[in-house]
Amino acid sequence: MTNTVPERSQEPAIDALEPFEVSFPCSHKIHERIEWNGHELLVPKRRIHLSNDDPPVDVYDTSGPQGCDVRQGVPKPRAEWIAKRRATNESGNFSQMHYARRGVVTEEMAYVAAREGVDPEFVRSEIARGRAVLPANVNHPEIEPMIIGTNFLVKINSNIGNSAVTSSIEEEVEKLQRSIRWGADTVMDLSTGDNIHETREHIVRNSPAPIGTVPIYQCLEKVNGKVEDLTIDLFLETLIEQAEQGVDYFTIHAGVLLRYVPLTAKRVTGIVSRGGSIMAKWCLAHHQENFLYTHFERICEVMKKYDVTFSLGDGLRPGSIADANDEAQFGELETLGELTRIAWEHDVQCMIEGPGHVPMHKIKENVEKQMEVCHEAPFYTLGPLTTDIAPGYDHITSAIGAAMIGWFGTAMLCYVTPKEHLGLPNAKDVKDGVIAYKIAAHAADLAKGHPGAQAWDDALSKARFEFRWEDQFNLSLDPVTAREYHDETLPAEGAKVAHFCSMCGPHFCSMKITEDVRKFAKEKGLETEEAIAAGMKEKSTEFTEQGGEIYS
Amino acid sequence: MTNTVPERSQEPAIDALEPFEVSFPCSHKIHERIEWNGHELLVPKRRIHLSNDDPPVDVYDTSGPQGCDVRQGVPKPRAEWIAKRRATNESGNFSQMHYARRGVVTEEMAYVAAREGVDPEFVRSEIARGRAVLPANVNHPEIEPMIIGTNFLVKINSNIGNSAVTSSIEEEVEKLQRSIRWGADTVMDLSTGDNIHETREHIVRNSPAPIGTVPIYQCLEKVNGKVEDLTIDLFLETLIEQAEQGVDYFTIHAGVLLRYVPLTAKRVTGIVSRGGSIMAKWCLAHHQENFLYTHFERICEVMKKYDVTFSLGDGLRPGSIADANDEAQFGELETLGELTRIAWEHDVQCMIEGPGHVPMHKIKENVEKQMEVCHEAPFYTLGPLTTDIAPGYDHITSAIGAAMIGWFGTAMLCYVTPKEHLGLPNAKDVKDGVIAYKIAAHAADLAKGHPGAQAWDDALSKARFEFRWEDQFNLSLDPVTAREYHDETLPAEGAKVAHFCSMCGPHFCSMKITEDVRKFAKEKGLETEEAIAAGMKEKSTEFTEQGGEIYS
């Protein structure tokens, strides 16, 4: 057994991220213009143009400005809004919740209202009530604002970040860009290796999506991995360092209380959250209560100044099916509910992290309990994985759980890539993870009956039924892959307008036959059930002879 | 617009299927020996050996005999059982239901009882009641018997088959072998192209899994694609041809009644089942009731003679989210319930096919309605896909629906590959589809609380927690892929025993820290909540000072 770092492998060559237009043929970005408080807001959507006379399909777009110089970062739409706010804010509390509770609809709120197709006042009220968060650090003017809450579209988060073992700054920025290209709504930078500050700076400056971090990781680097040397002062100093850079939400494992730690002793997989295990070790080493808990109000003071949103970490989340919904997990959850109240007393925005590994029949209980004990603060879950037996395919084991938990009310789903439990995701893994979660989130939006969600499905299905192959590809989450799969069997251009495909061939195409059926029925005047019934009556003798056979 | 066949692409070279031992390192096949009615039954399992002192893990095995000559086919374990039965059966009805209802526990029933870990009498009673089917044509002696029913492990089906456009016999047999290697419980041969009889013969002779077909496809070939020329006599002749070869279940679209056809006129995607659209066209062309419905009892006569199981096709299943759970679908379902009763009057085994495309909130209604109107005959669904927007990823959109519908009581899940809607699956697609569905089925078994299902998850999670990397790989559904993914980042052999991995690196490994926590707690006598509480009391002054901060 060894704890030294094994030799690092050659990274497989990663193709550069293709231009936006290549990822999404026949799409282009549009911006809805909104006047608000004297500012012009430009709210992005992606417009997919169709080959027939149907109107184009506009979809939510997270991809951000294209073609910017990575050293310069992306434009700063919020710069003016924030400057104005700085000039007038006397409380020192810049949180969206603070404004919302004072009846102010900020530019960010108006922006997300347009993005979600809802009333700005509704956005304000949800944020004021704590049922939604709008993560937007005042030092992250690059953000295209977005909202996380059970009454809005289900969001997804992608994790990136280097570790001591592998990966570079350029790769991480590209993983960011790849994540938002395919639909990630927020991105967490989980870097733990060298250049942690510089990597983060590049990520924030290039991100139109809110960025989350787990600050305890950097703290641990600062004490050379000695958990027992962690202190609240070091932690607060690190929070300020990251908040100054513009990080939008912090995962903080303040609910890992000393008394919960022994509850994990009999688990199959103990504590699987990195932050959770760090805090558990600290608690035991000092035989003291978690300093993130005891000093929680000092943390709130930092959060409100920058409008950093809490993502209260579930340090005791289950790491296996066997450990799901146990005492340790639910004990911590109650503490997170207590801390939510405290954050809200400070007008600090707050969401709650959730599991993990949960079999399907125990998923709903997670959401119900979280809503109850955390007063409907947005729930943000990792998967959950619905079985442990498929490492290498955990984007699928967890997309199942994610779709369900999203339907039940979870506001944001943290993606899991095929490499989960095995290694760090490469570019392809990031894309696979994001797309699996985009599927889960959209399936949840459909099941929740989110207004407008089904229009996308309907447009694609209509294109499919009408053999508009190009439109079917272009309307899919990943047009290039859809087209490639089609072309593997039928590459000729003729096949793109053919009234059948390679699955069935011309004689067996049900869509083709249905067309014939409809045409035939129309010619014969058999379009309605009544017409059929009338026809049946005429032929009743014949029918009775044959039908009689069944019942005789 | 054209209906001619576009130029066929070059098939990508497909790697030959690797030996069993390569797919599953440290596994070997074992056979449980059972004496029944004077026969020795050898019931297969796959035994996964671990690197520590834990007992090996035995898992359900569908892979069948290895290394057989494709021209010879696989061995015939049922040959003697069937011969004995032929010598004594005077009714001409060889169905397992017929025997079950007469109180006979056949060799097949005893075999599946051992395979599922239940009592043989329970198997008999479930088959007698119609709540489970044991598809096993008397002309398919190669079968390793399996059972499909809501009170057994959830099963999965893989579809293979060439079309007029592409693929060869050798490829199809290899797709069969690949399907069962990764876990397919039954395989449907959906061939529609040339050599349909010969392809099927090779598939049946090489399959230890039940084979299903859709006989109307071959009928349509026989009338050169002219739907209106189809007749019941041609159909019965084709059933006999295929039953003679040993096909174990037939999908028959006898529920597509003339009066339901107009109900599909307003749908977004009309009729998407090939068989359903064929029968709808026939009904309209003749203005007569579906001949499969009117002559259903003649069909039953063929089924009972060979013990072919009905898989009553859902010809009107929804092909899009928009069309889910509509009148056409549920109208047909009621007719399938009526036909189930008729099949059962003939002691013919019967399962019911289901959708298709269904958003999550409408899935449960499908199972409840099917159970009610089809008297708990096993439900066998295609997915369902929970959104339409992800062609290229429909193994994922549908694994979500499949896992849920399996949990709700569906007995068998028909897989969907990434190529669904786009092209014919190649070898990789078949594997990806089967594994996605194995995940869905196992997740359903866990959620249903199937006895023993969780042992597999627990063994893998324990290996993961104890850093037994090799065991973690070997216990996974796809060991080679799991290992490859790990090795991409940390290829050195040392990493296989390292107490951390590439995700977090040595300082941040939660599992490693949990080990430390447990050790530390043990040394300090802090293993229980009580001990912690006692320790806390000693330090109460200190704690109050710090804890007080929160509430002050």
Side-chain angles (χ1 to χ4, degrees):
Chain A
M1 297 282 176
T2 169
N3 282 335
T4 58
V5 180
E7 189 186 345
R8 183 177 158 187
S9 69
Q10 282 304 100
E11 282 287 310
I14 292 168
D15 291 336
L17 181 60
E18 69 276 8
F20 178 87
E21 300 73 30
V22 175
S23 296
F24 301 116
C26 295
S27 277
H28 78 265
K29 288 211 187 217
I30 58 164
H31 289 90
E32 186 180 345
R33 278 164 200 275
I34 291 163
E35 281 285 318
W36 200 261
N37 294 340
H39 295 294
E40 184 182 50
L41 320 184
L42 294 174
V43 182
K45 284 198 167 57
R46 179 162 63 89
R47 175 159 288 178
I48 307 166
H49 298 272
L50 305 181
S51 64
N52 66 351
D53 291 337
D54 285 354
V57 177
D58 292 344
V59 299
Y60 195 100
D61 177 58
T62 58
S63 61
Q66 302 297 313
C68 303
D69 181 342
V70 172
R71 289 159 300 181
Q72 302 289 322
V74 293
K76 299 174 163 52
R78 295 178 66 221
E80 279 184 32
W81 319 341
I82 297 165
K84 195 164 158 188
R85 225 171 281 157
R86 280 198 196 282
T88 54
N89 186 311
E90 286 171 7
S91 69
N93 189 333
F94 285 87
S95 88
Q96 295 286 329
M97 184 182 232
H98 186 73
Y99 285 97
R101 287 181 163 182
R102 274 143 198 83
V104 178
V105 176
T106 62
E107 290 79 3
E108 288 84 352
M109 296 177 206
Y111 189 107
V112 303
R115 216 168 177 185
E116 302 264 344
V118 299
D119 190 62
E121 169 55 25
F122 179 69
V123 171
R124 187 204 61 75
S125 70
E126 289 291 292
I127 293 172
R129 200 202 165 297
R131 195 154 53 194
V133 297
L134 194 165
N137 185 318
V138 290
N139 290 337
H140 191 184
E142 294 87 353
I143 280 187
E144 294 178 349
M146 54 78 71
I147 192 161
I148 302 165
T150 191
N151 291 323
F152 299 94
L153 289 163
V154 175
K155 303 304 187 297
I156 65 173
N157 173 72
S158 142
N159 290 333
I160 61 174
N162 57 355
S163 81
V165 181
T166 182
S167 144
S168 73
I169 290 177
E170 293 71 24
E171 281 172 40
E172 294 314 312
V173 172
E174 198 176 60
K175 281 182 195 166
L176 160 72
Q177 293 169 334
R178 210 174 281 267
S179 296
I180 60 177
R181 171 73 57 85
W182 297 113
D185 295 285
T186 74
V187 173
M188 291 195 76
D189 171 20
L190 303 183
S191 294
T192 57
D194 297 333
N195 306 320
I196 195 170
H197 184 98
E198 193 191 347
T199 303
R200 190 166 48 237
E201 185 64 27
H202 278 82
I203 288 172
V204 175
R205 296 287 78 79
N206 282 283
S207 183
I211 296 295
T213 63
V214 188
I216 201 80
Y217 296 172
Q218 189 177 7
C219 297
L220 195 59
E221 295 286 349
K222 289 179 179 175
V223 294
N224 298 314
K226 287 195 180 163
V227 169
E228 50 278 26
D229 291 353
L230 292 169
T231 64
I232 183 65
D233 292 326
L234 179 73
F235 189 79
L236 291 171
E237 170 198 311
T238 306
L239 285 195
I240 291 167
E241 173 190 340
Q242 298 197 10
E244 281 287 337
Q245 288 187 296
V247 173
D248 304 286
Y249 63 90
F250 288 147
T251 293
I252 296 184
H253 298 90
V256 179
L257 299 192
L258 187 55
R259 67 176 180 274
Y260 300 144
V261 177
L263 300 178
T264 66
K266 302 291 176 213
R267 281 180 158 187
V268 170
T269 47
I271 301 175
V272 296
S273 147
R274 291 189 229 173
S277 62
I278 291 165
M279 295 318 301
K281 189 171 181 179
W282 188 93
C283 290
L284 286 189
H286 292 275
H287 205 158
Q288 284 181 4
E289 197 47 278
N290 182 338
F291 64 80
L292 301 173
Y293 176 82
T294 54
H295 295 271
F296 192 71
E297 296 202 288
R298 288 174 70 187
I299 298 171
C300 290
E301 293 300 333
V302 177
M303 307 298 267
K304 69 172 76 161
K305 191 172 156 200
Y306 298 90
D307 194 11
V308 182
T309 299
F310 273 115
S311 186
L312 293 176
D314 56 335
L316 304 180
R317 68 167 176 268
S320 57
I321 291 296
D323 296 343
N325 295 21
D326 73 354
E327 260 189 297
Q329 182 195 336
F330 284 154
E332 181 188 29
L333 187 62
E334 295 207 10
T335 300
L336 299 186
E338 177 193 329
L339 295 171
T340 300
R341 285 267 189 231
I342 297 171
W344 287 354
E345 282 168 23
H346 289 262
D347 290 352
V348 172
Q349 302 191 89
C350 187
M351 57 184 172
I352 310 293
E353 297 186 9
H357 292 238
V358 185
M360 283 189 286
H361 63 300
K362 293 187 178 174
I363 289 177
K364 199 169 191 202
E365 185 187 2
N366 274 275
V367 183
E368 288 171 347
K369 200 162 178 75
Q370 187 272 343
M371 290 234 182
E372 181 201 330
V373 304
C374 297
H375 328 294
E376 302 184 323
F379 202 23
Y380 165 32
T381 61
L382 177 66
L385 286 73
T386 52
T387 169
D388 303 340
I389 65 170
Y393 298 83
D394 279 332
H395 60 313
I396 300 177
T397 66
S398 68
I400 295 168
M404 290 175 68
I405 210 164
W407 171 29
F408 297 145
T410 294
M412 186 156 77
L413 310 170
C414 181
Y415 88 168
V416 170
T417 78
K419 290 273 170 61
E420 182 76 17
H421 299 119
L422 298 169
L424 282 176
N426 63 23
K428 181 176 183 309
D429 298 320
V430 168
K431 178 178 172 184
D432 284 346
V434 171
I435 287 183
Y437 273 67
K438 200 72 194 161
I439 288 168
H442 186 73
D445 288 333
L446 287 176
K448 288 169 77 175
H450 190 95
Q454 200 184 310
W456 192 350
D457 299 73
D458 292 352
L460 190 142
S461 289
K462 187 159 180 278
R464 179 176 285 155
F465 190 67
E466 292 170 359
F467 298 99
R468 285 184 278 117
W469 288 97
E470 296 288 347
D471 290 346
Q472 188 188 159
F473 303 150
N474 294 338
L475 283 162
S476 70
L477 283 183
D478 181 3
V480 175
T481 297
R483 170 187 288 267
E484 275 174 13
Y485 284 1
H486 175 270
D487 289 1
E488 269 181 36
T489 346
L490 283 180
E493 274 309 305
K496 304 283 186 347
V497 291
H499 269 204
F500 64 92
C501 62
S502 58
M503 282 87 83
C504 313
H507 281 168
F508 289 91
C509 180
S510 58
M511 305 263 204
K512 173 76 179 68
I513 297 176
T514 304
E515 273 193 356
D516 295 347
V517 164
R518 285 188 181 176
K519 207 170 140 195
F520 188 96
K522 198 163 186 178
E523 283 165 14
K524 305 271 175 181
L526 301 175
E527 284 168 282
T528 66
E529 197 171 358
E530 290 70 33
I532 293 278
M536 292 288 277
K537 207 168 177 183
E538 283 174 35
K539 304 205 174 199
S540 61
T541 320
E542 189 185 338
F543 177 68
T544 309
E545 274 172 21
Q546 297 181 331
E549 191 178 329
I550 286 189
Y551 305 105
S552 63
Chain B
M1 297 284 178
T2 170
N3 282 334
T4 58
V5 179
E7 193 188 343
R8 184 177 156 185
S9 70
Q10 281 305 101
E11 283 288 311
I14 293 168
D15 291 336
L17 182 60
E18 69 276 9
F20 178 87
E21 301 72 30
V22 175
S23 296
F24 301 116
C26 294
S27 278
H28 78 266
K29 286 209 188 220
I30 58 164
H31 290 90
E32 185 180 346
R33 278 163 201 275
I34 291 162
E35 282 284 317
W36 200 261
N37 294 339
H39 296 293
E40 185 182 51
L41 321 183
L42 294 174
V43 181
K45 282 200 168 56
R46 179 162 64 89
R47 175 159 288 178
I48 307 165
H49 299 272
L50 305 180
S51 63
N52 66 350
D53 291 336
D54 286 354
V57 178
D58 292 343
V59 299
Y60 195 100
D61 178 58
T62 58
S63 62
Q66 302 297 312
C68 303
D69 181 342
V70 171
R71 288 158 304 181
Q72 302 289 320
V74 294
K76 299 173 165 52
R78 296 177 66 221
E80 278 184 32
W81 320 340
I82 296 165
K84 195 164 158 188
R85 225 170 282 159
R86 281 197 196 282
T88 54
N89 185 310
E90 287 171 7
S91 70
N93 189 334
F94 285 87
S95 88
Q96 294 286 329
M97 184 181 232
H98 187 73
Y99 285 98
R101 287 180 163 182
R102 275 143 198 83
V104 178
V105 176
T106 62
E107 290 79 3
E108 287 85 352
M109 295 175 206
Y111 189 107
V112 303
R115 214 168 179 185
E116 301 265 344
V118 299
D119 191 62
E121 171 53 25
F122 178 69
V123 171
R124 188 204 59 73
S125 70
E126 289 290 292
I127 293 172
R129 199 202 166 296
R131 194 153 53 195
V133 296
L134 194 164
N137 185 319
V138 291
N139 289 336
H140 192 185
E142 294 88 352
I143 280 186
E144 294 178 349
M146 53 78 70
I147 193 163
I148 302 165
T150 193
N151 291 322
F152 299 94
L153 289 163
V154 176
K155 303 304 187 297
I156 64 173
N157 173 74
S158 139
N159 290 332
I160 60 173
N162 58 355
S163 81
V165 182
T166 182
S167 137
S168 74
I169 291 177
E170 293 70 25
E171 280 173 42
E172 293 314 311
V173 172
E174 197 176 61
K175 281 183 196 166
L176 159 73
Q177 293 169 335
R178 209 174 282 267
S179 295
I180 60 179
R181 171 73 57 83
W182 297 113
D185 295 284
T186 73
V187 173
M188 290 195 78
D189 172 20
L190 303 184
S191 294
T192 56
D194 297 334
N195 306 320
I196 195 170
H197 184 97
E198 194 192 345
T199 303
R200 189 166 51 235
E201 185 64 28
H202 278 82
I203 288 173
V204 174
R205 296 287 76 77
N206 282 284
S207 182
I211 297 295
T213 62
V214 187
I216 202 81
Y217 296 170
Q218 189 178 7
C219 296
L220 196 59
E221 297 284 350
K222 289 178 179 176
V223 295
N224 298 313
K226 285 196 182 163
V227 169
E228 49 278 25
D229 291 353
L230 292 168
T231 64
I232 182 65
D233 291 327
L234 178 75
F235 189 78
L236 291 170
E237 173 198 309
T238 307
L239 286 196
I240 292 168
E241 173 190 338
Q242 298 197 9
E244 282 289 336
Q245 287 186 299
V247 173
D248 304 286
Y249 63 90
F250 289 148
T251 293
I252 296 185
H253 297 91
V256 178
L257 300 192
L258 187 55
R259 67 174 180 274
Y260 300 143
V261 177
L263 300 178
T264 66
K266 301 291 177 215
R267 281 179 158 185
V268 170
T269 48
I271 301 175
V272 296
S273 148
R274 291 189 231 174
S277 63
I278 292 166
M279 294 319 300
K281 189 171 181 180
W282 188 92
C283 291
L284 286 190
H286 293 275
H287 205 159
Q288 284 181 5
E289 195 48 279
N290 182 338
F291 64 80
L292 301 171
Y293 177 81
T294 54
H295 295 271
F296 193 71
E297 296 203 289
R298 288 174 71 186
I299 298 170
C300 289
E301 293 300 333
V302 176
M303 306 298 269
K304 69 173 76 160
K305 191 173 157 198
Y306 297 90
D307 194 11
V308 182
T309 298
F310 274 115
S311 186
L312 292 176
D314 56 336
L316 304 181
R317 70 169 176 266
S320 57
I321 291 297
D323 297 342
N325 294 22
D326 72 354
E327 260 190 299
Q329 182 195 336
F330 283 154
E332 181 188 30
L333 188 62
E334 295 207 9
T335 301
L336 299 185
E338 178 192 328
L339 296 171
T340 300
R341 286 267 188 230
I342 297 171
W344 287 355
E345 281 168 23
H346 288 264
D347 290 352
V348 172
Q349 303 190 88
C350 187
M351 56 185 173
I352 311 292
E353 296 185 8
H357 293 239
V358 186
M360 283 189 286
H361 64 299
K362 293 188 177 176
I363 290 177
K364 199 167 193 206
E365 185 187 2
N366 274 275
V367 184
E368 288 172 346
K369 198 161 180 75
Q370 187 272 344
M371 291 235 179
E372 179 201 332
V373 304
C374 298
H375 328 293
E376 301 183 322
F379 202 23
Y380 165 31
T381 60
L382 176 67
L385 286 73
T386 53
T387 168
D388 304 339
I389 65 169
Y393 299 82
D394 279 332
H395 60 313
I396 301 178
T397 64
S398 68
I400 295 167
M404 290 176 67
I405 209 163
W407 170 29
F408 297 145
T410 293
M412 184 155 78
L413 309 170
C414 180
Y415 87 168
V416 169
T417 78
K419 290 273 170 63
E420 182 76 15
H421 299 120
L422 298 169
L424 283 175
N426 62 24
K428 181 176 186 307
D429 298 320
V430 167
K431 179 178 172 184
D432 284 344
V434 171
I435 288 184
Y437 273 67
K438 200 73 195 158
I439 288 168
H442 186 73
D445 288 334
L446 287 175
K448 288 168 77 175
H450 190 95
Q454 199 183 309
W456 192 349
D457 298 73
D458 291 352
L460 190 143
S461 289
K462 186 161 181 277
R464 179 176 285 156
F465 191 66
E466 291 170 1
F467 298 98
R468 286 182 278 115
W469 288 97
E470 297 286 349
D471 291 347
Q472 189 188 159
F473 303 150
N474 295 337
L475 283 162
S476 70
L477 283 183
D478 180 4
V480 174
T481 297
R483 170 188 288 268
E484 275 175 13
Y485 283 3
H486 175 269
D487 288 2
E488 268 181 37
T489 346
L490 282 181
E493 275 310 304
K496 303 286 184 348
V497 291
H499 268 204
F500 63 92
C501 61
S502 58
M503 281 88 82
C504 313
H507 280 168
F508 289 91
C509 180
S510 58
M511 304 263 204
K512 173 77 179 68
I513 297 177
T514 304
E515 272 193 357
D516 295 348
V517 165
R518 285 187 181 176
K519 208 170 137 194
F520 188 96
K522 197 164 187 175
E523 283 167 14
K524 305 269 175 182
L526 300 176
E527 284 167 282
T528 66
E529 196 171 0
E530 291 70 34
I532 293 277
M536 292 288 278
K537 208 168 174 184
E538 284 177 34
K539 303 205 172 196
S540 61
T541 319
E542 186 181 340
F543 176 68
T544 309
E545 275 171 21
Q546 297 183 329
E549 191 177 330
I550 286 190
Y551 305 104
S552 61

